[in-house]
């Protein structure tokens, strides 16, 4: 594996003609990232991974400082997973003196974007820069960050139509907890409390009406006093907008909240059946 710990040379010379599948990350790698690498390897001969803790997507310097950084083990994990090029750019390379933040629009200001103002502007800005430099054929993002995936997909269609955005399914611990780089900050007790998130979503995903989904998820969340809800939204996966009782068909259940000081998100798919409509 090439470790390009400072820069990625022109992909023409470094990577030749081979197709590139790209896995952008912020490091603190876990099995969720590794499954994205596996997906990447099935798509193209060259797998490029970036590790860049992107300052523009954090709302505060404290949150940025708290983000786990584990480069040594990341390199080992990436190598074992078969990453061909690991790229760890520095801030000046991604953000030259004059750069403009990309506006993620209205859909970037709801759910995650409501609580984390500017977050998706930062995400789209860094993804744009990474795409400009790596010039991949495919880019793979996890479904755990459902809103992020949606916004990147829409943005890529407009700005990078040659890049196919592929999604990788959410990888979970045996307990059901969605894997996340933030999980390492949970104490054992907090990890236990965090299980309410996937538990509630799983219960909701088995219901067939809007009302039952909503009430069952919210009821389950109240069983864990150490979980503080930020939002729960039942959305149309095609528009990302909240549905109401009249909706029939697939929905995505989006949930976010805090256990202690750690913010966690997760989502499950569900289907509202015609006989459940109006309930
Ligand atoms: O999901 C992440 O790790 C980040 O938001 C991403 C897409 C690498 C952009 O910094």
């Amino acid at each position: 594996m090439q470790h390009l710990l400072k820069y990625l040379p022109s992909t023409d010379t470094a990577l030749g003609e081979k197709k590139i599948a790209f896995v952008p990350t912020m490091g603190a790698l876990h099995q969720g990232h590794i499954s994205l690498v596996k997906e990447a390897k099935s798509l193209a001969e060259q797998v490029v991974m970036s590790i860049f803790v992107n300052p523009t997507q954090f709302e505060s310097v404290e949150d940025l400082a708290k983000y786990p950084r584990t480069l040594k083990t990341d390199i080992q994990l990436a190598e074992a997973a078969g990453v061909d090029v690991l790229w760890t750019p520095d801030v000046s390379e991604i953000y030259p003196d004059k750069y403009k933040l990309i506006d993620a629009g209205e859909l970037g200001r709801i759910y995650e974007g409501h609580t984390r103002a500017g977050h998706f502007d930062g995400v789209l800005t860094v993804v744009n820069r990474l795409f400009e430099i790596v010039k991949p054929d495919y880019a793979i993002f996890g479904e755990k960050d459902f809103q992020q995936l949606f916004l990147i997909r829409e943005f890529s269609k407009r700005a990078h139509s040659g890049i196919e955005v592929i999604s990788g399914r959410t990888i979970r611990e045996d307990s059901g907890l969605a894997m996340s780089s933030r999980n390492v900050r949970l104490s054992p007790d907090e990890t236990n409390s965090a299980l309410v998130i996937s538990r509630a979503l799983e219960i909701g995903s088995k219901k067939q009406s809007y009302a039952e989904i909503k009430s069952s998820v919210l009821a389950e969340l109240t069983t864990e006093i150490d979980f503080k809800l930020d939002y729960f939204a039942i959305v149309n996966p095609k528009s990302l907008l909240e549905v109401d009782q009249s909706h029939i068909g697939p929905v995505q259940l989006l949930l976010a909240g805090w256990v202690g000081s750690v913010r966690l998100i997760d989502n499950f798919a569900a289907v509202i059946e015609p006989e459940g409509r109006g309930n």
Side-chain angles (χ1 to χ4, degrees):
M1 178 174 69
Q2 276 173 280
H3 296 175
L4 297 169
L5 295 180
K6 280 230 172 309
Y7 63 92
L8 185 74
S10 149
T11 50
D12 296 342
T13 52
L15 303 173
E17 294 297 300
K18 292 177 182 167
K19 295 247 186 239
I20 300 169
F22 179 41
V23 183
T25 80
M26 297 206 296
L29 301 183
H30 51 68
Q31 288 309 311
H33 296 109
I34 302 309
S35 79
L36 301 183
V37 173
K38 282 193 190 132
E39 183 73 42
K41 286 184 81 65
S42 74
L43 293 165
E45 289 170 274
Q46 296 263 13
V47 175
V48 177
M49 175 187 274
S50 61
I51 295 181
F52 178 67
V53 184
N54 173 33
T56 62
Q57 70 186 77
F58 290 85
E59 327 69 91
S60 70
V61 268
E62 292 78 35
D63 206 26
L64 172 63
K66 274 192 276 180
Y67 200 82
R69 286 159 174 85
T70 56
L71 186 59
K72 247 186 170 170
T73 34
D74 288 352
I75 291 173
Q76 288 163 1
L77 281 171
E79 184 140 40
V83 168
D84 297 296
V85 175
L86 180 65
W87 177 44
T88 62
D90 49 32
V91 174
S92 62
E93 192 176 354
I94 298 296
Y95 296 118
D97 274 353
K98 284 188 185 132
Y99 71 90
K100 252 183 86 184
L101 272 177
I102 291 170
D103 181 353
E106 282 307 310
L107 293 181
R109 288 189 270 279
I110 52 178
Y111 318 132
E112 282 305 285
H114 180 72
T115 306
R116 307 181 66 192
H119 170 67
F120 288 117
D121 298 346
V123 169
L124 292 189
T125 304
V126 76
V127 166
N128 183 52
R129 282 296 288 147
L130 296 170
F131 281 5
E132 281 175 352
I133 299 170
V134 177
K135 302 184 186 71
D137 299 282
Y138 305 96
I140 301 99
F141 297 88
E143 286 168 7
K144 187 181 79 73
D145 298 293
F146 191 85
Q147 187 178 8
Q148 167 173 283
L149 174 65
F150 183 98
L151 291 169
I152 291 175
R153 200 167 249 152
E154 293 302 307
F155 169 70
S156 296
K157 278 188 212 153
R158 294 195 303 275
H160 296 276
S161 57
I163 301 175
E164 198 175 331
V165 172
I166 306 284
S167 63
R169 68 183 180 88
T170 303
I171 304 298
R172 298 181 181 279
E173 306 286 354
D174 291 344
S175 62
L177 183 67
M179 290 197 186
S180 160
S181 303
R182 290 173 187 257
N183 292 354
V184 295
R185 290 175 44 211
L186 295 167
S187 69
D189 277 353
E190 287 173 337
T191 303
N192 226 2
S193 302
L195 300 186
V196 75
I197 300 171
S198 54
R199 202 164 65 230
L201 287 173
E202 191 179 3
I203 291 171
S205 72
K206 292 182 177 144
K207 306 291 182 200
Q208 295 177 350
S209 76
Y210 174 89
E212 280 179 320
I213 293 174
K214 194 168 180 176
S215 59
S216 64
V217 170
L218 295 178
E220 187 59 30
L221 291 177
T222 62
T223 64
E224 179 50 71
I225 50 162
D226 291 327
F227 175 73
K228 185 166 166 274
L229 180 66
D230 182 4
Y231 62 84
F232 169 58
I234 306 174
V235 311
N236 183 333
K238 289 203 175 122
S239 66
L240 205 65
L241 296 174
E242 280 196 83
V243 301
D244 60 21
Q245 306 232 349
S246 65
H247 182 84
I248 296 173
V251 286
Q252 207 70 25
L253 316 182
L254 311 185
L255 204 158
W258 293 268
V259 177
S261 64
V262 185
R263 190 160 196 287
L264 298 167
I265 63 173
D266 198 355
N267 67 88
F268 266 60
V271 180
I272 296 181
E273 302 290 351
E275 56 274 22
R277 183 179 167 166
N279 290 326

